[in-house]
Amino acid sequence: QPEEAEPMTEAQPFEELIKLQSVNDTHYQWDVPDAWQQGRGAFGGLVLAATVSALEAAHGAHDPADRTLRTLTSMLCGPVYPVRSDFELEHVREGSNTSTWHARQRQLDDGEVKSETIALFASDRAEDATWDELQVPQVTSWQDLPPIPIAPPLAPAFSQHMEYRTDDAIPMMMQKEVHTTHGWVRHKNPPARANLAYIAMLMDAWWPCALLTSTRPRPVATVSFTMQFLLDPARIDTTRPLCYRAAMPICVRGYGVEFRELWTPEGELVALNQQ
């Protein structure tokens, strides 16, 4: 039986945050919520969640129903401000088992392109081609860790809407010598049922490994984001957090590569991310 979760604090429901207005079946608009900033623009995970929602809506209107989103690559070109944003979707190709889509996001106040995304939807392939050699994170259970009071002004605005639990280092509070991090994360008012947009948002909600060895605040931004969705969202209980693990083994002239994972409390791998 799922463990009993602590009561949620007040936060705007996740579904409302990424609610889209349909112009047509390949064109959607999104009112970017305020108080979700990470620096000048909206938190990248929320932008990616809205992008996933737009891609799934367009895919659902055109492609076979047995194809689900497997991977996406997004270039986050510029800050997304709390005004109306516009997604234009292009059906690039439909194959025998795969469908490829392109999403371009602009903001209507200045017309600037804010993100470019390529996504692949695909049906299942061979049943015997299944394995997982990644080691399940050996971390303290989330029930044994109290939520960490992370919020502005010491953290980005969006962090007030998230719940974090960890026994690892915290930026500017505890330092470590290696660029790794782990813990548990969820939105304070998650959807009743998990979806791929929610998974994309959680994947980007944790602090970068680079901040754990720094002795001073520094700006950090994601410029490219690639993600593989590996678990059926129906298997995820949104009343419980997901386990997050990441490492940034290299940084060259201010550009680092970070590898991220999300796991269920039962040890099922949810998704992988490189950014």
Side-chain angles (χ1 to χ4, degrees):
Q1 293 295 321
E3 299 88 344
E4 183 177 352
E6 292 186 5
M8 298 291 182
T9 58
E10 286 295 324
Q12 187 176 3
F14 177 75
E15 297 96 327
E16 294 181 9
L17 294 170
I18 59 168
K19 185 176 181 180
L20 303 175
Q21 292 82 44
S22 174
V23 178
N24 56 52
D25 58 13
T26 58
H27 186 183
Y28 298 87
Q29 293 184 341
W30 174 45
D31 291 321
V32 183
D34 202 358
W36 273 83
Q37 288 85 351
Q38 181 179 9
R40 292 186 297 153
F43 154 55
L46 191 66
V47 175
L48 290 161
T51 303
V52 168
S53 184
L55 284 163
E56 288 195 303
H59 158 75
H62 291 267
D63 292 329
D66 66 335
R67 300 180 185 184
T68 61
L69 181 59
R70 306 288 175 162
T71 183
L72 63 81
T73 296
S74 184
M75 302 300 295
L76 304 176
C77 309
V80 177
Y81 300 112
V83 296
R84 179 157 289 199
S85 198
D86 192 79
F87 289 100
E88 294 181 356
L89 293 303
E90 178 186 0
H91 199 188
V92 178
R93 181 183 182 273
E94 183 175 338
S96 57
N97 292 294
T98 64
S99 300
T100 305
W101 283 83
H102 170 258
R104 172 170 288 172
Q105 179 192 17
R106 299 179 186 270
Q107 292 218 266
L108 297 185
D109 61 337
D110 58 16
E112 284 190 355
V113 174
K114 299 298 184 177
S115 68
E116 295 269 2
T117 302
I118 288 289
L120 180 74
F121 293 81
S123 56
D124 288 346
R125 294 181 181 269
E127 288 292 334
D128 61 344
T130 300
W131 64 88
D132 182 0
E133 297 178 358
L134 288 175
Q135 182 178 359
V136 178
Q138 301 300 308
V139 299
T140 303
S141 173
W142 69 272
Q143 302 100 314
D144 297 328
L145 296 169
I148 301 170
I150 294 180
L154 299 179
F158 82 87
S159 65
Q160 66 189 301
H161 308 296
M162 309 301 298
E163 180 185 290
Y164 302 96
R165 299 171 188 245
T166 187
D167 55 4
D168 196 24
I170 301 171
M172 309 311 299
M173 298 181 188
M174 291 183 285
Q175 286 183 273
K176 58 192 302 187
E177 296 181 355
V178 293
H179 294 89
T180 63
T181 186
H182 66 262
W184 299 89
V185 62
R186 66 176 171 181
H187 182 245
K188 290 179 177 178
N189 198 342
R193 296 182 180 180
N195 53 42
L196 298 181
Y198 183 64
I199 295 170
M201 187 271 291
L202 288 184
M203 182 65 88
D204 200 45
W206 204 264
W207 45 86
C209 293
L211 296 181
L212 296 175
T213 60
S214 177
T215 58
R216 59 182 176 85
R218 63 169 66 238
V220 180
T222 300
V223 293
S224 67
F225 183 101
T226 297
M227 186 165 178
Q228 293 80 35
F229 299 92
L230 302 170
L231 186 69
D232 181 353
R235 298 180 63 84
I236 297 173
D237 177 0
T238 59
T239 68
R240 300 185 295 168
L242 293 181
C243 181
Y244 175 91
R245 179 170 65 181
M248 182 183 283
I250 188 169
C251 185
V252 179
R253 295 185 294 276
Y255 289 88
V257 180
E258 188 163 277
F259 301 95
R260 301 179 169 193
E261 307 162 12
L262 282 177
W263 299 76
T264 67
E266 293 78 20
E268 292 184 285
L269 183 61
V270 176
L272 293 172
N273 168 230
Q274 174 182 317
Q275 55 181 280

